[in-house]
Amino acid sequence: MPGEVRIKVNEKSWKINSAPDTPLLYVLMNELQLQGPRFGCGLAQCGSCSVLVNGIETRSCVTPVSAVRDKSITTLEGLPAWYAAQKKLAKAPDLHPIQQAMIDEQAVQCGYCFNGMMIKASELLSKTPQPDEAQIRTAMNGHLCRCGTYPRVIKAIQRASRTMMAEVAR
Amino acid sequence: MNLPRRDFLKSGGALIIGFSLRESLLGQSHLDANSRPPIPGPPDAKQIDTWLAIHADNTATIFIGFAELGQGNSTALLQVAAEELDLDMSQLKTVRLDTSITPNQGGTYSSASIQRGGPQVRTAAAEARQALLQMASKNLNAPIDRLTVAKGVVSVNNNSAQSITYGALVGDKPFHLAFTGTAPVKTPAEFKVVGKRVVRNDIPDKVSGKYVYMQHVRVSEMLHGRVVRPRGQSAYGVGAKVLSVDEASIRNIPGARLIHKGDFIGVVAENEWDAVRAAAKLKVTWDMTPSLPGSAGLFESMRNAKSTDRVVVERGDIGIFGNAPHVVAKTAYHGPYQAHAPFGPNCALADVTADSAVVKCSTQDVYGTRNKLSAMLGMPPEKVRVQYYEGSGTYGHSCYDDVALASAILSQGAGKPVRLQFMRWDEHGWDNYGPAHVGEVRAAADAAGKIVAYEYHGWQHSWTLLETSEQLAYNKPGAEWPGSGAQGVNANALGGMYKIPNVRIVNHQISGAGYLKGGWLRSPLDLSFAFASEQAIDQLAYMLKMDPYEFRKSNIVDERWMGVLDAAAKAANWRPRRAAPARSAKVVRGHGIGLGTHLASYGGAVAEIEINKENGKIAIKHLYGAIDAGLVVNPAFVENQISGQLVQTASRMLKEEVTLSTTNVTSLDWNSYPILRFEECPEVTPVVVQRLDRKSSGAGEEVMAAAAAAIGNAFFDATGVRMREYPLTPARVLTALKQN
């Protein structure tokens, strides 16, 4: 029944009006009005709609909202706070290091796929703080980009890794 | 022109109102249209006030008619304005494209934002600066030649005690000046902002999630819509014919409603998921009579189709082919249909009432889309307002017009605003594909290494003029573009980079009625042209036992072609070579070089590839691409464009192919229409050949053809085998290797 599902998104709890079988993506876009996860294929093929569910990159377009009740969902908007919690920082930065690295590398073209790129990259960096290039390519292989930004995304992930390692060292 | 100060005071009735500094604009996403009172129809391009406004806080808004597509033009055009106005980039902003707000500069086509838009913005800004200096001269009581400007502050002899800001001179009041285009503009030696690596202003919001893409736009009272079509289009001339619709099949989805007009079928619902489910559940029987040649019969069908033939170039006498002693390379090549396949399918939001329409969409041309809507809805253009919101990269005429028209039909039928999101299969299956191409090339060189004759015949259909939604809803017959310009073969792309005395180039235009919908896909036809033409040129070098780079150099006289060829070769550290004969190793490597263009600029590329002869897999290891686009306003943006072009070319050459059965298109998603992935992505090296003294020309497409050719030539270098058809899939590679 609508209204029976509660989900936690970016550390805030929400009572959901949508039917339980509604894909999480539509709930995040329409009920919560978030702009990070976005529609790309509806088939879990491209990574446009990715969110973190308990820290694991998940395709929200094929995940019913009822499947993530009691789980912690992080969207692009919540990445800085998620990062701060992981690193036990006193205050969330404005941007997750991967977001800043995308700016520093001027990696973006149209930017539509970058939600998924940054969600996946943040998952990768949380598990493998210093990935080599082959590890980056393998981890990111399920995320498509039509503008051809892959080379700069790889550089941005390497840059974010350096930033994060420097933060640990401090 | 000397405008008395009192005229400015008199004209104080504010044409431009309501600016807020806090709206500091990033990309073209942030500003709402309130920055200027909407007027029906295009603002008058002959007025300075149409192009820019100076605000009391000493900032300026530049009104530009080109769409930010992720290429950075909304930043680069501000650089052009900043340069002429002597303003800092932080003092400038721009607004969303809107037929009631922004000037009509033509569509964002042919990578020509800077080529066509730059001069207009530049001269308008220069003219405004001239007027501002005249005002300052009176105000400061000093002759103009003693005035200097920095960051919008006009001073006498750089003396800050004797100064006044642009904002104080004209703040938020209109210039009321005719735009004559006669003000002198700065010379390259004076450039402070143009040519500099200013960072893109749209990126911060794109990474934080604040950027408003079309897919994010919602309005109150809005319904969600979906279209229902056969999965994959049939022949363009056929459209799609509904045999029956079972409205009862969606009765159990509350709030879902069928919108049925002619053969156009859609559903609307308050809840988006209900619209998605209803579109999936609605039972429609379509007439699926075979109408297409199918993938297997495509090229033969095209080659044998009745064609309208046009000699594009006839120079010298190609009868020379019959004369010895020449080496002759002669082959037929095939290029597939390829899809735009925007990463996020197109989306539009229409609010159509009895006598007006407002449509928000991701069109490359707000005025062009307005005209299409106006014609379809039977409303005068000034009653139709089109607003641009960036979607995902479109690379040409994807379904942005079609989704705009479809949303209008749904809104009209529902009597409410309707947001229509195309599904993946709508976009992949009903695209205006980059047309397939059959090219037959013959080239000859003499023993001294000079190309003496060149002949090219190209077969393809043109681009479709009618959008699917209008075709289906109004049962209109398909119509096509005339087949000229970028729709057919041209002398620039085909051998035009070389000095060849005897040339014949013939376009064979076939009717598109029995084929797929066609449209301009990034660097239209150029990849196919270069894949054919530059392999033939390469083959001549091989036959003459010459290095393909040196062979090209000895046939080029134009310094700009030479420039990009040299730049690509130098970046790749090119070593003289002659293609290897077939080698027995399992994995072989090759290097290839190529030239190409799209209409105006110059592209050169080198490819390094690796081929596994056992499984037929190609790994493109490194692509080097050089572009000469004249004066490059922002080299960093062009480098990013070159990188994107090289990766997209790798994708199009290795993987991309629209497949079709005899009834419909069958490549409908990323599995059936695969594109390049991270693990397959080559390293890329972009090179900008900066020419400050030359007019700016396009830089978003020009290196793709060169790279396509370089890949084909690298394959030959490694294997001694010429590939005649792309994409170079493992199956195709294995077949070709076996046959040779």
Side-chain angles (χ1 to χ4, degrees):
Chain A
M1 289 295 289
E4 72 180 25
V5 177
R6 280 187 164 275
I7 59 173
K8 192 166 89 174
V9 180
N10 300 332
E11 294 304 311
K12 198 176 158 195
S13 181
W14 296 84
K15 196 165 129 189
I16 298 307
N17 293 318
S18 302
D21 69 340
T22 307
L24 176 61
L25 173 64
Y26 295 110
V27 174
L28 297 175
M29 286 195 309
N30 295 324
E31 277 200 55
L32 275 57
Q33 299 185 357
L34 292 169
Q35 296 196 154
R38 52 198 69 154
F39 182 77
C41 66
L43 304 162
Q45 292 177 354
C46 73
S48 179
C49 64
S50 289
V51 297
L52 296 174
V53 177
N54 290 348
I56 307 296
E57 185 260 316
T58 304
R59 304 288 159 104
S60 68
C61 71
V62 293
T63 306
V65 66
S66 58
V68 294
R69 64 178 97 206
D70 307 325
K71 289 181 182 164
S72 179
I73 297 154
T74 306
T75 70
L76 178 63
E77 290 88 345
L79 273 192
W82 181 77
Y83 174 71
Q86 276 201 320
K87 297 281 174 185
K88 300 190 170 51
L89 305 178
K91 186 169 162 282
D94 288 340
L95 297 172
H96 185 291
I98 186 62
Q99 293 174 302
Q100 185 59 49
M102 293 296 191
I103 297 175
D104 295 339
E105 292 291 340
Q106 293 281 292
V108 180
Q109 290 192 26
C110 84
Y112 198 89
C113 72
F114 272 67
N115 170 66
M117 294 292 176
M118 293 184 288
I119 290 286
K120 188 68 190 178
S122 62
E123 181 209 47
L124 168 68
L125 291 167
S126 74
K127 291 183 196 157
T128 313
Q130 289 177 286
D132 62 24
E133 189 181 320
Q135 286 174 310
I136 293 173
R137 284 174 182 259
T138 303
M140 301 301 294
N141 207 41
H143 288 259
L144 300 176
C145 169
R146 190 82 178 111
C147 295
T149 64
Y150 300 134
R152 289 190 180 199
V153 170
I154 293 171
K155 282 190 185 144
I157 294 172
Q158 290 165 331
R159 180 190 280 262
S161 167
R162 290 196 298 274
T163 307
M164 289 165 65
M165 293 315 290
E167 208 145 60
V168 170
R170 248 187 327 182
Chain B
M1 183 187 310
N2 193 2
L3 263 184
R5 170 87 178 138
R6 61 178 182 278
D7 281 1
F8 278 87
L9 293 175
K10 245 187 341 199
S11 66
L15 173 67
I16 294 153
I17 54 160
F19 278 101
S20 149
L21 230 202
R22 261 159 281 142
E23 276 174 334
S24 82
L25 195 257
L26 306 167
Q28 288 170 335
S29 157
H30 265 198
L31 254 203
D32 61 42
N34 299 330
S35 51
R36 173 187 265 181
I39 52 157
D44 183 357
K46 296 195 179 100
Q47 292 295 317
I48 289 294
D49 295 316
T50 294
W51 297 91
L52 57 94
I54 303 285
H55 309 304
D57 60 14
N58 209 28
T59 65
T61 298
I62 310 298
F63 300 96
I64 54 181
F66 286 95
E68 174 64 60
L69 301 165
Q71 78 283 54
N73 67 357
S74 67
T75 304
L77 287 170
L78 290 189
Q79 283 181 255
V80 170
E83 186 68 67
E84 295 301 333
L85 281 166
D86 284 313
L87 283 169
D88 200 73
M89 282 297 280
S90 63
Q91 294 171 288
L92 289 176
K93 58 191 170 185
T94 181
V95 299
R96 178 180 305 296
L97 271 72
D98 184 325
T99 53
S100 293
I101 306 280
T102 49
N104 187 354
Q105 292 190 283
T108 310
Y109 303 135
S110 308
S111 301
S113 302
I114 304 301
Q115 181 179 329
R116 282 191 284 118
Q120 287 173 303
V121 171
R122 172 174 291 131
T123 46
E127 210 154 308
R129 182 182 185 273
Q130 199 173 49
L132 287 159
L133 284 183
Q134 281 159 1
M135 284 180 244
S137 168
K138 288 215 182 317
N139 187 287
L140 299 171
N141 201 18
I144 285 180
D145 58 16
R146 288 179 52 209
L147 300 179
T148 57
V149 191
K151 296 190 179 183
V153 181
V154 188
S155 311
V156 182
N157 292 336
N158 285 316
N159 176 3
S160 62
Q162 259 188 296
S163 67
I164 187 164
T165 66
Y166 285 172
L169 286 168
V170 73
D172 287 325
K173 294 190 192 69
F175 284 90
H176 285 312
L177 268 182
F179 177 20
T180 63
T182 53
V185 294
K186 291 190 181 172
T187 61
E190 298 170 281
F191 288 165
K192 294 191 193 85
V193 192
V194 166
K196 297 294 183 296
R197 295 168 173 267
V198 172
V199 294
R200 288 234 317 262
N201 58 19
D202 56 329
I203 290 184
D205 278 5
K206 283 180 172 176
V207 304
S208 71
K210 293 193 187 104
Y211 200 81
V212 179
Y213 289 96
M214 180 61 231
Q215 286 83 349
H216 292 131
V217 181
R218 306 285 189 276
V219 299
S220 57
E221 302 291 305
M222 171 196 96
L223 299 176
H224 287 275
R226 290 295 185 277
V227 293
V228 179
R229 297 173 176 174
R231 294 280 171 102
Q233 62 184 261
S234 305
Y236 175 48
V238 172
K241 297 275 171 269
V242 176
L243 298 178
S244 68
V245 187
D246 177 12
E247 198 168 353
S249 58
I250 57 168
R251 207 168 277 160
N252 62 349
I253 300 174
R257 205 179 128 194
L258 172 70
I259 307 282
H260 186 171
K261 185 178 176 66
D263 290 311
F264 177 95
I265 295 184
V267 292
V268 293
E270 268 182 42
N271 185 303
E272 185 168 16
W273 179 235
D274 286 342
V276 174
R277 289 194 302 142
K281 279 209 169 158
L282 184 71
K283 269 195 197 142
V284 186
T285 313
W286 301 95
D287 179 0
M288 295 303 277
T289 306
S291 60
L292 291 168
S295 287
L298 176 64
F299 296 113
E300 196 189 344
S301 161
M302 286 173 60
R303 182 62 181 81
N304 296 329
K306 186 168 168 280
S307 64
T308 307
D309 300 343
R310 177 170 54 90
V311 177
V312 177
V313 181
E314 179 92 76
R315 186 168 70 235
D317 176 14
I318 58 155
I320 194 169
F321 275 115
N323 303 347
H326 298 121
V327 293
V328 177
K330 178 176 188 287
T331 320
Y333 293 87
H334 297 158
Y337 281 107
Q338 293 186 324
H340 296 86
F343 182 74
N346 273 288
C347 182
L349 203 167
D351 187 2
V352 180
T353 63
D355 60 357
S356 72
V358 179
V359 179
K360 303 169 197 296
C361 60
S362 301
T363 176
Q364 281 180 267
D365 180 2
V366 285
Y367 286 100
T369 303
R370 182 188 67 153
N371 292 343
K372 287 186 180 192
L373 283 159
S374 155
M376 184 185 80
L377 296 169
M379 274 180 202
E382 60 271 19
K383 294 289 181 189
V384 179
R385 182 174 182 185
V386 176
Q387 297 171 311
Y388 173 74
Y389 288 77
E390 188 175 355
S392 78
T394 179
Y395 327 105
H397 196 206
S398 65
C399 296
Y400 56 73
D401 277 325
D402 189 30
V403 80
L405 296 183
S407 68
I409 294 169
L410 291 177
S411 174
Q412 205 171 34
K416 281 193 166 187
V418 174
R419 171 188 180 269
L420 170 59
Q421 167 72 69
F422 270 179
M423 298 299 278
R424 177 44 61 200
W425 43 83
D426 299 325
E427 186 76 45
H428 259 83
W430 287 87
D431 190 14
N432 310 296
Y433 304 105
H437 177 73
V438 174
E440 290 179 7
V441 57
R442 187 160 68 134
D446 62 20
K450 294 289 176 199
I451 307 171
V452 292
Y454 179 94
E455 184 177 16
Y456 194 98
H457 294 263
W459 287 260
Q460 67 284 310
H461 63 74
S462 185
W463 305 335
T464 45
L465 271 169
L466 186 62
E467 300 298 333
T468 302
S469 299
E470 187 173 8
Q471 183 180 22
L472 300 185
Y474 293 86
N475 193 24
K476 287 202 176 164
E480 292 172 72
W481 290 63
S484 53
Q487 300 145 40
V489 301
N490 70 77
N492 289 352
L494 295 164
M497 46 289 278
Y498 308 108
K499 187 170 189 274
I500 310 175
N502 306 294
V503 178
R504 182 175 161 83
I505 299 175
V506 185
N507 194 56
H508 304 268
Q509 190 186 348
I510 63 175
S511 160
Y515 297 91
L516 305 180
K517 284 157 56 67
W520 51 97
L521 169 64
R522 198 179 195 182
S523 215
L525 292 173
D526 297 324
L527 279 72
S528 293
F529 293 163
F531 183 68
S533 181
E534 280 286 284
Q535 284 207 76
I537 298 300
D538 218 64
Q539 189 65 18
L540 293 179
Y542 175 72
M543 294 164 91
L544 291 166
K545 299 183 170 51
M546 287 179 71
D547 170 52
Y549 168 46
E550 282 304 323
F551 177 74
R552 283 178 173 80
K553 278 177 81 80
S554 67
N555 283 284
I556 293 174
V557 290
D558 186 323
E559 60 161 8
R560 300 185 71 179
W561 278 117
M562 196 71 95
V564 290
L565 183 73
D566 284 342
K570 186 174 169 224
N573 194 19
W574 182 267
R575 298 263 179 260
R577 58 200 302 107
R578 182 169 178 256
R583 295 196 196 111
S584 57
K586 175 186 155 192
V587 175
V588 289
R589 294 190 82 146
H591 296 227
I593 193 164
L595 291 172
T597 182
H598 171 64
L599 303 178
S601 300
Y602 304 78
V606 170
E608 296 171 4
I609 75 173
E610 194 173 273
I611 300 131
N612 181 318
K613 289 162 79 173
E614 280 181 7
N615 62 19
K617 277 192 184 169
I618 295 177
I620 301 180
K621 308 302 275 185
H622 202 138
L623 291 175
Y624 307 82
I627 283 188
D628 171 353
L631 164 63
V632 170
V633 172
N634 190 318
F637 296 176
V638 172
E639 284 168 6
N640 205 4
Q641 281 298 298
I642 294 173
S643 297
Q645 288 170 63
L646 294 175
V647 175
Q648 204 175 79
T649 301
S651 183
R652 285 170 64 174
M653 295 311 293
L654 293 193
K655 311 199 72 148
E656 297 188 28
E657 176 175 25
V658 174
T659 56
L660 44 146
S661 68
T662 55
T663 54
N664 56 302
V665 166
T666 53
S667 45
L668 301 174
D669 58 27
W670 299 118
N671 288 342
S672 47
Y673 187 87
I675 62 171
L676 202 78
R677 291 175 179 271
F678 267 98
E679 289 189 328
E680 304 158 315
C681 185
E683 196 174 330
V684 293
T685 301
V687 183
V688 173
V689 179
Q690 176 68 285
R691 292 195 188 267
L692 295 173
D693 58 335
R694 297 286 192 145
K695 277 186 184 159
S696 300
S697 52
E701 317 182 60
E702 287 66 16
V703 89
M704 298 186 78
I711 292 166
N713 290 331
F715 186 93
F716 180 77
D717 183 55
T719 62
V721 175
R722 288 270 168 218
M723 292 301 289
R724 314 285 185 205
E725 183 175 334
Y726 72 96
L728 310 178
T729 58
R732 225 167 248 138
V733 167
L734 288 177
T735 305
L737 291 178
K738 253 182 228 150
Q739 284 170 352
N740 284 271

